[in-house]
Amino acid sequence: MMYRPEEFYHGFQVSHFDYKQLNNRFLLNLPDEEIKKLIQPVVNGSKEEFLRSVKGDIRLTFLLSIETLFELIFSLLPNEKNQINDATLIYRLVEKKPYYEEIRKFNKKEKSKLDWLKKNINFNNGRKAPFLRHIFYFGLWKDEIVESVEKSLPVIEDALRILAQELSNREELNSYKHGLRSIPFMKSLILAEPETFKEKIKFDMDDSVTIYSHNKKTGVREFLTKQFDPERDMALTHVASNLINNIIQPRKTLLKKGKPEDTLPIIFFFDEDLKKANEAHVRMQDFRYTITPIDEK
């Protein structure tokens, strides 16, 4: 039996990250007695460590959903010959090209490969539209949805920039993926008057992790403390999952000679929903401490 590239879309688990966050939410809301029973086999297990682990997995799941989304987007961009072939997505996904610098450039609104998203291209039906439309509303030209699609595109661009900003610090994702190099370092952050040391503002940082990084070339050492914000992470995971849905589902149907407008739940995006998903639920989100070597010369 010969494998057809379009079968990739048929087997892709679109809601994978949503399912993971639903599981994490369930664990996060377990009563104390249920947590106690659950962690009984763990040596020296504690409720605090358990909940920190769940929140860490919520954060990791969120970052992985963004990584997956951008991998799909980059793989759907035109190749070196400016050719577009959505059916061969799986072959381009396994090329394993590093795109993190491109994501950082996109986040800073610098020139990057993602500039393709705003370029107008000619479609087979004689229409012209941004490549962003091709990525997220593939083959969807039914008159009844054209207006909703057009209104969704700027919201999608805003969502991609929000998500790109979260992924722009590669060290954070690596700290979760490779050996959990994140540590419960900071308990509180206090801002005081320099002369009297009188406390003015205090942030509870007990529910946070610190990621350590070291640039060998410059000698700069950095400690990035991030306070967990599970509600925001789960809400934005859902945004990323919806964007993944709009990449996969229309291609899944259209490459099977179907009509995606009639058979699939296509998602439209609204500015107020994105703003709500992006709302912070903690007072202090990031604290960065940098140690720069002094040039003795």
Side-chain angles (χ1 to χ4, degrees):
M1 179 180 177
M2 179 176 283
Y3 175 78
R4 293 181 300 173
E6 56 265 29
E7 291 297 329
F8 166 82
Y9 295 104
H10 183 72
F12 192 94
Q13 191 168 336
V14 172
S15 302
H16 171 75
F17 299 108
D18 274 340
Y19 292 144
K20 284 202 66 180
Q21 297 296 42
L22 287 171
N23 286 332
N24 281 325
R25 183 181 290 280
F26 174 78
L27 294 173
L28 200 61
N29 293 329
L30 280 177
D32 290 355
E33 285 303 312
E34 291 298 320
I35 293 176
K36 187 177 179 180
K37 291 178 185 177
L38 191 63
I39 65 175
Q40 193 171 9
V42 180
V43 178
N44 295 325
S46 71
K47 171 191 168 185
E48 291 72 25
E49 284 188 352
F50 172 79
L51 293 177
R52 181 181 294 277
S53 177
V54 173
K55 291 172 186 177
D57 194 55
I58 288 172
R59 182 67 183 171
L60 172 60
T61 299
F62 172 42
L63 294 175
L64 289 177
S65 73
I66 305 171
E67 186 180 55
T68 299
L69 171 63
F70 276 103
E71 282 184 352
L72 290 169
I73 292 171
F74 279 110
S75 297
L76 287 169
L77 295 180
N79 61 20
E80 292 77 8
K81 298 180 180 179
N82 286 337
Q83 296 171 326
I84 303 171
N85 189 349
D86 298 69
T88 61
L89 172 65
I90 188 170
Y91 298 143
R92 300 192 67 191
L93 278 172
V94 298
E95 290 176 0
K96 295 183 179 179
K97 293 183 178 179
Y99 292 121
Y100 296 99
E101 183 58 32
E102 296 297 324
I103 292 172
R104 281 191 287 271
K105 290 177 182 176
F106 175 71
N107 174 46
K108 295 177 180 178
K109 297 187 178 181
E110 297 174 357
K111 186 176 181 180
S112 73
K113 292 182 183 295
L114 291 172
D115 291 344
W116 261 104
L117 298 178
K118 299 190 80 170
K119 290 183 180 179
N120 284 329
I121 62 171
N122 296 312
F123 291 88
N124 292 334
N125 57 12
R127 304 193 194 193
K128 181 181 285 189
F131 197 80
L132 187 71
R133 193 191 200 290
H134 173 78
I135 295 282
F136 293 102
Y137 293 99
F138 179 74
L140 299 168
W141 292 101
K142 204 170 185 179
D143 291 339
E144 295 92 308
I145 66 169
V146 167
E147 184 178 354
S148 296
V149 169
E150 296 302 318
K151 289 181 178 179
S152 293
L153 295 182
V155 183
I156 290 175
E157 184 178 350
D158 289 343
L160 291 178
R161 293 201 185 277
I162 290 170
L163 298 175
Q165 184 175 11
E166 295 293 321
L167 198 63
S168 60
N169 180 9
R170 178 67 175 165
E171 288 298 330
E172 183 188 2
L173 179 56
N174 283 338
S175 72
Y176 290 113
K177 287 174 68 175
H178 306 299
L180 292 175
R181 297 197 308 269
S182 53
I183 52 177
F185 180 74
M186 187 179 293
K187 296 298 182 183
S188 62
L189 177 65
I190 300 173
L191 303 180
E193 289 181 345
E195 293 84 7
T196 63
F197 292 100
K198 183 179 180 181
E199 180 182 312
K200 288 295 185 181
I201 304 174
K202 182 177 180 179
F203 296 99
D204 180 10
M205 301 296 286
D206 190 53
D207 203 12
S208 68
V209 292
T210 298
I211 296 100
Y212 167 73
S213 64
H214 178 209
N215 188 317
K216 292 182 179 179
K217 291 183 179 180
T218 63
V220 173
R221 299 171 187 269
E222 185 174 84
F223 296 86
L224 173 64
T225 298
K226 299 183 72 70
Q227 190 161 17
F228 286 127
D229 192 346
E231 288 301 324
R232 178 177 180 270
D233 288 348
M234 288 188 285
L236 286 176
T237 300
H238 188 57
V239 172
S241 288
N242 285 343
L243 290 168
I244 291 171
N245 173 87
N246 275 25
I247 289 175
I248 298 297
Q249 297 288 28
R251 290 167 175 81
K252 175 180 175 180
T253 299
L254 205 60
L255 292 173
K256 289 282 189 179
K257 310 302 181 186
K259 293 182 179 180
E261 297 100 329
D262 300 327
T263 59
L264 292 172
I266 299 303
I267 298 167
F268 303 114
F269 296 85
F270 303 93
D271 188 57
E272 57 270 24
D273 292 338
L274 178 60
K275 287 179 179 177
K276 185 176 180 180
N278 194 35
E279 285 178 357
H281 298 266
V282 294
R283 291 180 64 202
M284 185 76 176
Q285 290 182 288
D286 296 354
F287 178 78
R288 194 181 302 269
Y289 180 69
T290 303
I291 302 174
T292 304
I294 299 174
D295 188 352
E296 297 182 353
K297 295 179 181 181

